[in-house]
Amino acid sequence: MTTIKQFLCGATVAGMVAGTGAAVGVPSGLSALTADWLLAAEHVLLIGVDGVNLSKVLEYAYGDDSGFKTAMEQGITGASSLTNHTTLSGPSWSTVLTGVWDDKHGVFNNLFRPEPYNQWPSVFNLIEYHKPEVDTTIISNWEYLNQLAGAGGYSVDNNVFVEAGDSPADSDAQVTALTIAQILGTEDNPDDISSFLFSYQSQADHAGHSFAGGSEEYMQSIINLGANIQQILAAIAHVQTITGDDWSIILTTDHGHQQTVTLPGLSIGHGFQSPNETSTFVIFDQAGDDSQDGSQNLAYSTVDITPTILSLFGIPLRSDFDGVSLVDDPSVLNSHVTPDDLQQALLAAIAMYGYPNIGNDITLAVRTVIGSVPYFLDKFVTGIDNFLQSIVDQDIFLISGLAEIAQQINEFFGGLTVDVTNTVAHGFAYLLGAGVIAPTDAPLPGAAEFTGSLESLLAGDTFTAPDVGDLDLPLLLDVDALLG
Ligand SMILES: [Zn+2]
């Protein structure tokens, strides 16, 4: 018999050894061989849905046919927040997948750079380094995440990128089908191989950008995602009856969405600090623990997800994580509540989140504006003027203060290439607090060393820094001037 799962309490183990596996929900009639399986393989599924507002889930997809509700009923839900951190996909998924915030990993936009993950290894890197026998998989239709899973040395075992397809919904359906196939593949697992699977879907974010978070299209995307997740959870229930392996399941998003757009198809949608954008959620169902199903935790955060996954595999946590394990951290365990009405309790928790302090609000807004310019340059080339105008037109907190800066950025970046622009933006993001905290843990042995110090980036062979005198940098950093 292989290692007993760490979460099993002594009484439960004793019950299983005595053949009374029903104590942990094993279907009756399982053979002794199957009971062994229960003790053998650890399976962790992380489902990522991009840009999903929990408030909209509770409004549109809180029925028995929705996987969102099923996941909440099978686990513990936290209405978490990104307040004081950038609400863009690259930075926010990097937080989910590294266990540290953007002031450490330094990711500031959606243009992939490998360097951050050399210093701050991803959950894939940490599993593959410490327990290479775990079968790791990513199934994603956003290539950035596939690149992330392949970075940092010790890369993911199975890196599956799903093309955009005819529509975001079609692409997500394909992700769902591949995810189910991967789960069903564990039916035949004679060597008791443990697994970690990250399954990522993106249609809500597409709908939010094109039509806004308050649109019917966004509503439909939430309903679709709920149906997809329901199918994935049904697949897990199916294999569980065959193998006896329970699965730990985490369901999360990277940020929310603004409720309106001013320029359809080219709205930024998120990236700032309004409560609709900073709103996130974490739903956690720990294998073998059904005692708190359907309840709520007030301390869950997306930064906790990587530490939690590592602890489920018995892998030691880094000392410089910002997150903690949801399995056993005292501050998390002490924040558990059992509301009479989970839906209302979660809505109340969402309503408690406001804006950060004004300095952080502006600093992060400026970082998003600057960091988005090279990204949009990459995507639309000629769309920057429209993009900046859409920001100028945004009727969100303090946005008028950004109009003048946006104009300066537009002039400053004119004529530069994506790479050069992104390097400049990297410099500004650093000045605005992204990546300023260095790791205290050593890099993983043999992982490529980070060679791009800010100074070398700005003065390297391939790039000479332009004259930044044209850009009023003190204005960017001077809150009073912005408010004036
Ligand atoms: Zn996103």
Side-chain angles (χ1 to χ4, degrees), residues 73-418:
E73 289 175 342
Q74 294 178 353
I76 303 169
T77 303
S80 47
S81 172
L82 299 180
T83 301
N84 289 318
H85 302 285
T86 299
T87 59
L88 293 172
S89 300
S92 297
W93 284 116
S94 294
T95 290
V96 169
L97 297 169
T98 65
V100 299
W101 292 113
D102 45 358
D103 52 3
K104 288 184 178 174
H105 62 58
V107 178
F108 62 92
N109 67 9
N110 293 344
L111 286 172
F112 179 78
R113 296 178 299 123
E115 291 87 356
Y117 313 102
N118 295 335
Q119 284 196 306
W120 299 99
S122 71
V123 65
F124 303 104
N125 304 147
L126 291 165
I127 293 173
E128 290 295 335
Y129 171 69
H130 288 283
K131 290 205 166 176
E133 67 273 21
V134 176
D135 189 44
T136 57
T137 301
I138 178 173
I139 301 171
S140 155
N141 53 19
W142 186 34
E143 196 169 13
Y144 184 109
L145 296 174
N146 298 87
Q147 292 173 304
L148 187 163
Y154 310 95
S155 63
V156 68
D157 290 320
N158 313 299
N159 198 332
V160 181
F161 172 64
V162 175
E163 298 285 347
D166 291 336
S167 72
D170 285 348
S171 184
D172 282 355
Q174 193 179 348
V175 168
T176 300
L178 291 168
T179 299
I180 289 170
Q182 185 76 16
I183 292 165
L184 296 181
T186 66
E187 273 185 32
D188 179 23
N189 188 9
D191 297 323
D192 297 338
I193 296 170
S194 294
S195 69
F196 169 59
L197 168 58
F198 176 36
S199 174
Y200 166 90
Q201 304 188 34
S202 57
Q203 62 184 289
D205 192 59
H206 288 286
H209 282 296
S210 298
F211 305 104
S215 66
E216 287 193 12
E217 288 86 353
Y218 189 86
M219 175 181 70
Q220 187 59 53
S221 74
I222 299 295
I223 293 170
N224 292 348
L225 288 170
N228 291 350
I229 295 165
Q230 187 84 327
Q231 292 181 47
I232 291 170
L233 297 181
I236 287 177
H238 172 74
V239 291
Q240 191 176 342
T241 63
I242 295 170
T243 67
D245 287 346
D246 197 1
W247 288 55
S248 293
I249 301 165
I250 302 172
L251 173 57
T252 195
T253 191
D254 57 334
H255 53 72
H257 253 281
Q258 297 172 12
Q259 298 302 293
T260 58
V261 294
T262 53
L263 198 64
L266 203 61
S267 169
I268 194 162
H270 54 89
F272 300 102
Q273 289 287 301
S274 73
N276 277 325
E277 295 163 89
T278 53
S279 169
T280 55
F281 61 86
V282 177
I283 305 172
F284 176 43
D285 176 18
Q286 184 180 344
D289 182 359
D290 300 328
S291 62
Q292 297 177 319
D293 284 0
S295 62
Q296 180 184 11
N297 193 292
L298 305 175
Y300 280 11
S301 169
T302 56
V303 79
D304 299 326
I305 289 173
T306 282
T308 300
I309 293 166
L310 295 178
S311 74
L312 289 167
F313 288 111
I315 294 170
L317 307 190
R318 287 174 62 99
S319 67
D320 48 12
F321 274 146
D322 290 322
V324 298
S325 171
L326 303 180
V327 173
D328 55 13
D329 185 81
S331 67
V332 171
L333 299 182
N334 289 335
S335 301
H336 184 259
V337 293
T338 306
D340 293 334
D341 185 333
L342 179 63
Q343 186 180 26
Q344 291 305 315
L346 291 170
L347 288 169
I350 295 167
M352 285 171 49
Y353 290 117
Y355 285 85
N357 75 63
I358 202 163
N360 284 357
D361 192 4
I362 295 173
T363 300
L364 291 166
V366 172
R367 194 200 296 172
T368 287
V369 170
I370 294 176
S372 295
V373 168
Y375 178 69
F376 276 79
L377 188 65
D378 188 41
K379 292 293 173 193
F380 300 104
V381 183
T382 58
I384 299 174
D385 285 339
N386 288 338
F387 161 65
L388 290 175
Q389 192 60 45
S390 76
I391 292 180
V392 172
D393 292 343
Q394 290 288 330
D395 183 22
I396 60 174
F397 188 52
L398 289 175
I399 207 66
S400 61
L402 288 172
E404 185 178 359
I405 295 170
Q407 186 59 41
Q408 292 183 43
I409 293 166
N410 197 20
E411 293 172 9
F412 177 68
F413 281 139
L416 299 181
T417 66
V418 172

